[in-house]
Amino acid sequence: QVNLVESGGGLVQAGGSLRLSCAASGRTFSSYAMGWFRQPPGKEREFVAAVSRSSSTYYPDSVKGRFTISRDNAKNTVYLQMNRLKPEDTAVYYCAASFSFLQAALPNSYDYWGQGTQVTVSS
């Protein structure tokens, strides 16, 4: 069992920055690939970023160049640095852990999920 707790969400103006954190407890953190997803109001959950066990990173075009995912295995934490935020980035952001990591962008590839943290970007 892996428990994930997100933090760092909040309200920010367009063009601003936020850094989300996800603290993991339970089984060995370094054994898991980690991902971030988001769910905008009234929409389905969508892939934001992922980092493999070897720290390879993956992003969709919508956030590439603005968001950066990183992991600190010593702290059992994964981060999502979000820069140049846009109103369309408004969503609940979820952290997830994957042991198999078959496909970074698919929610079904992930075994454990956090409760989410709200990010609101005002125009």
Side-chain angles (χ1 to χ4, degrees):
Q1 182 72 22
V2 175
N3 295 314
L4 303 172
V5 179
E6 302 96 336
S7 62
L11 174 65
V12 63
Q13 288 188 333
S17 299
L18 280 176
R19 188 176 82 154
L20 305 183
S21 300
C22 173
S25 60
R27 296 182 62 182
T28 306
F29 178 74
S30 59
S31 299
Y32 288 84
M34 300 298 297
W36 286 95
F37 289 76
R38 66 188 181 188
Q39 188 161 15
K43 297 184 179 180
E44 294 187 353
R45 196 167 295 192
E46 60 188 39
F47 172 65
V48 175
V51 58
S52 71
R53 286 180 286 270
S54 60
S55 295
S56 296
T57 57
Y58 307 84
Y59 305 94
D61 289 343
S62 59
V63 307
K64 196 174 294 183
R66 299 190 299 124
F67 290 10
T68 303
I69 189 171
S70 61
R71 65 188 300 160
D72 186 338
N73 289 340
K75 295 183 178 179
N76 284 6
T77 302
V78 62
Y79 304 97
L80 183 68
Q81 177 67 43
M82 305 186 294
N83 298 327
R84 303 200 311 274
L85 283 161
K86 305 175 182 180
E88 51 263 44
D89 295 318
T90 295
V92 177
Y93 282 71
Y94 297 91
C95 171
S98 172
F99 187 75
S100 62
F101 203 49
L102 296 178
Q103 294 192 57
L106 291 184
N108 286 346
S109 292
Y110 293 80
D111 306 292
Y112 303 99
W113 292 83
Q115 293 300 306
T117 185
Q118 177 70 46
V119 171
T120 303
V121 184
S122 63
S123 57

